Amino acid sequence: MKIHEYQAKEILRQYGVPVPKGRVIQTAEEAKRVSEEIGTEPVVLKAQIHAGGRGKGGGVRVVRNLSEVEKVAREMIGMTLVTPQTGPKGKVVRKVLIEERVEIKEELYLGVVIDRAKASPVIMASREGGIEIEKVAAESPEKIVKEWIDPSIGLRPFQVNKIGYGLGFGPVEVGKLRPIITGLFNAFHEKDCLLAEINPLILTKNGEFIALDAKMNFDDNGLFRHKEIVVLRDLHEEDPLEIEASKYNLNYIKLNGNVGCMVNGAGLAMATMDIIKVFGAEPANFLDVGGGATVEMVKNGFKILMSDPDVKVVFINIFGGILRCDTLAKGVTEAVREVKVKVPIVVRLEGTNVEEGRKILNDSGLNFTVAAGMYEGAQKVVEALKKVGA
Amino acid sequence: MSILVDENTRVLVQGITGNEGMFHTRQMVEYGTRIVAGVTPGKGGQKVDGIPVFNTVSEAVRETEANASAIFVPPAFAADAILEAADANIPLIVCLTEGIPTLDMIKVKEYLRKKNVNLIGPNTPGIISPGKCKIGVMAGYIHRQGPVGIMSRSGTLTYEVVDQLTKKGIGQSTCVGIGGDQIIGLDYVDLLRLFEKDPETRALIMIGEIGGIAEEEAAKFIEKEIRKPVVAFIAGLTAPPGRRMGHAGAIISGGKGTAQEKMEALEKAGVRVVKNPALVGEEMAKIIEN
């Protein structure tokens, strides 16, 4: 799960990380009052969307005169912000963070992620801040200091020293970095994060470190023990169909093609998208109805697929295994009747009683094309697309 | 022969009294797996289809000499269940549970380093040596005994590939689901090492997907150490970056972990990479029939 910058900064502040003075607003009318509370000129207005690169699309504005702050806020709230990370459609700005502007002497990077290969959290720090750490890692890996954290002993003071002195700072700066590195790691660890990042962490002209931007991604599997994080979810940032699907516990991701896919299991669902592509068509979505693929899940899956106007053909690929195909086939026909599916459907079912299952589909009088395997299924999808002229 | 499990494996089921645990215990017994015990704290002394239930794993091991565990325990308690099995020195632990917090698994992995035990999963369909032993949730009947070893991060996609093989009359020595999470127990390299030594296994299939670098690590290992032919399929060529594709571990992050990179690494290592998932069985048939 992702959260906004202002929310991440609030969490980090609670963990002792210095952040700029600021507050989030949702209406332009609040802008002036909030700026006056902050009490400095100029202020910075930052659009709050779940995507980076905001500066490039006009999502970060410096306002030198407080008399203009309401006007700028009005321009920003409601605007569609397009950044390199939002995709061409962009995202609507609903909240703006107003902050004091701090004088930057140097920009650093500080982040915690999980190193999958080493099965350990790793703290990464670099004096090349403000840009994507992946770029630094690719172009000049020697400029990144890394410390892996042994889960049984946690982050140790000597490791903070290794990071601070490793970056080339002296004792005074290392002393100031200590609570920031420790705070960031503790937040990462205690809140079940997959990523916690301060980029940039800035060194001000007064010699203080401040988290100028912050990003936190949480482990969905850990959310059950973090009610305080769950409430931070912003549904405006998610695709409406994806939200609908998540209510049914379906894994759904909207894509750009026109073949609606319904598959059981994540790996087979990806492979189904891939084979559609091999045959020259494009998947409209990723949809995993779960390895078990119950009739209820299939019904809900249809509801989601039929809400997407891009879907011209549906490809159902269910490898039931233990599941009985006759039960599944009955479920699929019921679902098609109930949801009133109007586009051609290609079905590939596999599992116990597969012959009975295919017979139920063929005899249903509904618009099914039954395929014997994935290969034939993908072929028939492409034929069906041609027939509907897509 | 086969790897990790065979007809002598004595299995205990943690969470045997739950819905999933009980259903799959019956399926496993029906397949011929020797289920010798169940564990559910507080239900010691009961029986499930005649299988004795114990309060703790160590008690179950003492009484039944179980040497493998299947874990069907909800995500919030699954990490503890793995630790309990490891504490009892059960040599093979198969954790089927999906949804264990990543940081819990990091602690589990650290503890397992001190123990001489193997973990399969979590978030796996399990392991099967056809005709001998099945510990997991896969359909037994789609498998048949034979010369191909399979390693995979996916469940149903593995069934798909197994089905392709079996329909061509090609059997499997052992099929292992390594799990779809970010932090898992045995990985491709561990299994490659075992399969290379297994006399029954003549060829290997590796089913990978986007996310992480496990396939790249496997490619390096295959180039150096593996003499047996390997066929691979990597799912997610059409997956968008930055999105988690169902499995917790299936995500392209920071431009890393793409299917393209993995395919290239494997091809460079001499692996036959198949781009069409429906043709994995056919590619293997070319090897086996030669």
Side-chain angles (χ1 to χ4, degrees):
Chain A
M1 192 191 107
K2 293 178 180 175
I3 58 172
H4 287 294
E5 173 196 6
Y6 78 93
Q7 295 167 323
K9 280 178 167 168
E10 178 53 29
I11 293 171
L12 291 180
R13 198 183 56 76
Q14 289 165 15
Y15 279 87
V17 175
V19 297
K21 225 197 250 180
R23 252 182 62 190
V24 75
I25 60 164
Q26 298 190 55
T27 62
E29 288 71 34
E30 300 165 80
K32 188 110 193 289
R33 185 172 44 80
V34 166
S35 303
E36 280 163 5
E37 272 172 33
I38 293 167
T40 58
E41 251 177 339
V43 289
V44 184
L45 274 66
K46 302 178 85 177
Q48 300 294 292
I49 57 166
H50 287 184
R54 291 167 298 171
K56 286 163 197 142
V60 180
R61 306 261 305 261
V62 178
V63 179
R64 291 180 195 283
N65 193 326
L66 285 197
S67 62
E68 285 170 23
V69 74
E70 191 172 323
K71 182 176 147 275
V72 175
R74 188 156 283 127
E75 285 166 19
M76 290 178 79
I77 294 174
M79 79 183 279
T80 300
L81 185 56
V82 181
T83 84
Q85 292 182 24
T86 57
K89 282 184 190 160
K91 279 189 167 168
V92 176
V93 178
R94 291 164 203 277
K95 291 174 178 174
V96 166
L97 174 63
I98 304 186
E99 280 186 341
E100 64 174 321
R101 195 176 77 145
V102 281
E103 298 283 331
I104 300 170
K105 188 179 158 202
E106 190 184 337
E107 291 184 284
L108 288 78
Y109 172 92
L110 183 66
V112 192
V113 291
I114 285 169
D115 182 332
R116 291 167 65 156
K118 288 198 162 72
S120 162
V122 57
I123 299 180
M124 296 193 289
S126 170
R127 290 182 81 152
E128 304 277 309
I131 45 174
E132 282 171 48
I133 194 68
E134 291 87 12
K135 257 187 204 152
V136 185
E139 285 157 20
S140 37
E142 75 286 353
K143 287 181 178 161
I144 302 176
V145 178
K146 288 186 179 181
E147 271 300 301
W148 282 269
I149 312 303
D150 182 329
S152 58
I153 55 171
L155 172 64
R156 309 301 300 180
F158 79 88
Q159 294 183 294
V160 175
N161 289 337
K162 279 175 77 184
I163 295 167
Y165 290 108
L167 289 173
F169 287 113
V172 176
E173 286 90 359
V174 173
K176 287 178 177 170
L177 277 172
R178 185 174 304 282
I180 298 175
I181 297 172
T182 312
L184 181 68
F185 180 76
N186 288 345
F188 173 92
H189 187 251
E190 285 168 25
K191 301 292 186 190
D192 274 292
C193 288
L194 294 178
L195 173 140
E197 193 177 74
I198 304 173
N199 188 24
L201 171 68
I202 58 151
L203 181 57
T204 66
K205 289 191 173 149
N206 301 330
E208 302 297 326
F209 289 102
I210 295 181
L212 199 61
D213 197 355
K215 184 174 166 185
M216 293 177 100
N217 292 348
F218 301 89
D219 181 2
D220 290 344
N221 291 344
L223 288 176
F224 70 87
R225 56 190 175 202
H226 295 291
K227 303 266 181 293
E228 80 288 2
I229 301 298
V230 174
V231 298
L232 301 180
R233 182 174 173 195
D234 184 350
L235 294 178
H236 291 303
E237 292 291 327
E238 298 173 31
D239 183 283
L241 276 181
E242 292 181 15
I243 297 170
E244 193 64 19
S246 72
K247 283 185 199 153
Y248 301 129
N249 283 321
L250 295 170
N251 273 311
Y252 172 84
I253 292 172
K254 173 89 181 88
L255 301 168
N256 298 323
N258 54 13
V259 181
C261 308
M262 178 161 15
V263 188
N264 68 325
L268 189 61
M270 277 189 276
T272 304
M273 286 159 44
D274 294 346
I275 199 170
I276 288 170
K277 178 93 174 177
V278 168
F279 281 86
E282 294 281 342
N285 62 277
F286 166 91
L287 173 58
D288 167 15
V289 295
T294 62
V295 169
E296 202 53 37
M297 290 290 234
V298 170
K299 264 188 206 170
N300 292 333
F302 267 120
K303 285 181 196 155
I304 301 294
L305 287 187
M306 288 306 103
S307 319
D308 177 1
D310 296 340
V311 170
K312 301 293 178 240
V313 173
V314 169
F315 184 16
I316 303 178
N317 185 13
I318 292 180
F319 202 109
I322 276 176
L323 300 171
R324 289 164 53 126
C325 276
D326 46 342
T327 317
L328 270 174
K330 269 183 216 149
V332 171
T333 51
E334 257 174 59
V336 170
R337 286 201 179 96
E338 200 183 301
V339 188
K340 301 193 176 64
V341 181
K342 296 208 177 69
V343 300
I345 302 168
V346 178
V347 196
R348 182 278 179 114
L349 288 183
E350 207 68 60
T352 313
N353 299 344
V354 62
E355 293 308 323
E356 288 93 321
R358 284 181 192 153
K359 192 167 177 327
I360 291 169
L361 292 176
N362 281 326
D363 297 351
S364 69
L366 293 163
N367 188 9
F368 285 120
T369 307
V370 179
M374 238 175 135
Y375 195 96
E376 197 182 300
Q379 274 178 329
K380 290 190 166 166
V381 162
V382 174
E383 285 166 22
L385 272 180
K386 275 188 195 138
K387 268 186 211 159
V388 297
Chain B
M1 291 285 286
S2 50
I3 66 165
L4 295 164
V5 297
D6 58 26
E7 52 274 71
N8 299 318
T9 307
R10 297 170 64 82
V11 182
L12 77 80
V13 177
Q14 290 174 257
I16 193 168
T17 54
N19 279 339
E20 288 274 297
M22 202 177 290
F23 176 79
H24 287 292
T25 296
R26 286 177 181 147
Q27 293 277 328
M28 288 188 277
V29 169
E30 202 176 296
Y31 191 74
T33 305
R34 295 172 69 182
I35 308 279
V36 297
V39 172
T40 301
K43 301 208 170 162
Q46 296 185 7
K47 287 197 166 172
V48 169
D49 297 350
I51 301 162
V53 179
F54 298 89
N55 286 316
T56 66
V57 173
S58 57
E59 193 188 352
V61 170
R62 202 163 54 232
E63 297 296 324
T64 67
E65 290 173 21
N67 57 12
S69 174
I71 298 178
F72 292 92
V73 169
F77 312 104
D80 195 57
I82 301 172
L83 292 173
E84 186 182 1
D87 171 73
N89 295 309
I90 293 186
L92 182 71
I93 304 163
V94 184
C95 184
L96 293 306
T97 309
E98 175 171 10
I100 304 178
T102 308
L103 291 179
D104 286 7
M105 275 312 299
I106 283 177
K107 291 187 188 110
V108 167
K109 270 283 259 197
E110 181 61 27
Y111 181 73
L112 294 185
R113 288 194 181 108
K114 300 173 198 154
K115 291 280 179 178
N116 193 20
V117 299
N118 286 320
L119 170 68
I120 295 177
N123 192 8
T124 167
I127 174 170
I128 182 168
S129 293
K132 297 170 185 165
C133 178
K134 158 182 134 156
I135 306 178
V137 302
M138 64 289 274
Y141 75 90
I142 61 171
H143 299 79
R144 75 182 256 175
Q145 199 170 333
V148 178
I150 302 182
M151 305 156 276
S152 171
R153 283 168 68 186
S154 155
T156 48
L157 180 55
T158 315
Y159 312 163
E160 167 70 36
V161 169
V162 165
D163 190 55
Q164 288 174 23
L165 291 176
T166 299
K167 281 180 177 155
K168 288 187 182 301
I170 303 169
Q172 306 90 41
S173 55
T174 304
C175 308
V176 190
I178 64 172
D181 281 357
Q182 292 210 33
I183 307 296
I184 54 169
L186 295 183
D187 59 20
Y188 294 122
V189 172
D190 300 315
L191 296 173
L192 284 164
R193 202 175 270 135
L194 295 172
F195 275 129
E196 181 74 7
K197 277 190 262 173
D198 173 39
E200 187 187 339
T201 305
R202 280 172 51 205
L204 298 167
I205 293 178
M206 203 179 127
I207 301 164
E209 63 190 29
I210 55 162
I213 54 164
E215 289 81 3
E216 286 86 338
E217 299 280 317
K220 278 186 225 158
F221 187 77
I222 289 169
E223 196 166 14
K224 274 193 289 185
E225 309 277 346
I226 301 299
R227 301 284 154 268
K228 295 177 181 175
V230 184
V231 172
F233 172 76
I234 307 294
L237 206 51
T238 50
R243 300 303 306 266
R244 212 168 285 285
M245 307 300 285
H247 289 151
I251 181 167
I252 300 168
S253 49
K256 287 280 164 198
T258 64
Q260 195 65 44
E261 282 174 309
K262 292 171 187 298
M263 289 174 172
E264 280 164 16
L266 287 163
E267 266 167 3
K268 214 179 119 235
V271 173
R272 302 189 191 196
V273 178
V274 181
K275 296 217 168 62
N276 184 333
L279 301 179
V280 179
E282 204 170 298
E283 190 66 29
M284 183 49 78
K286 288 182 205 160
I287 293 172
I288 294 294
E289 283 154 16
N290 270 330

